[in-house]
Amino acid sequence: MQPIELDVDVDENNEIHVRLPAGYACRRAHVRVLIATVADAPAGHPRQFGQFRGQVRMSDDFNAPLPDAFWLGEVR
């Protein structure tokens, strides 16, 4: 089994129709669906550079190396 990723459109009845790409012939398929929605930007409110200035903070040790225990899976 080989996973493939497809873009799909949802119609006005909230139904998803998928057509396999050429070359993918199959009799049975296991389907796992992940729905990701894309929100439209609010009308009349264009994004502005710096609009979130001062609202994000980063720790002083952001660029510090992670401990070996992290890479070995010992830290949870």
Side-chain angles (χ1 to χ4, degrees):
M1 179 173 17
Q2 177 183 3
I4 59 174
E5 184 175 320
L6 303 170
D7 290 327
V8 298
D9 289 319
V10 180
D11 66 15
E12 62 277 353
N13 297 320
N14 290 331
E15 295 177 347
I16 299 173
H17 301 276
V18 179
R19 184 180 304 243
L20 291 175
Y24 281 92
C26 66
R27 285 182 243 148
R28 289 181 25 182
H30 173 79
V31 178
R32 180 175 292 166
V33 177
L34 170 66
I35 303 292
T37 59
V38 179
D40 294 331
H45 297 284
R47 296 180 190 167
Q48 289 183 318
F49 181 76
Q51 72 185 41
F52 298 110
R53 184 174 301 159
Q55 296 182 26
V56 177
R57 293 184 296 134
M58 192 176 308
S59 66
D60 293 333
D61 65 346
F62 178 78
N63 286 327
L66 293 169
D68 289 338
F70 173 82
W71 297 109
L72 298 173
E74 299 168 357
V75 174
R76 292 186 183 205

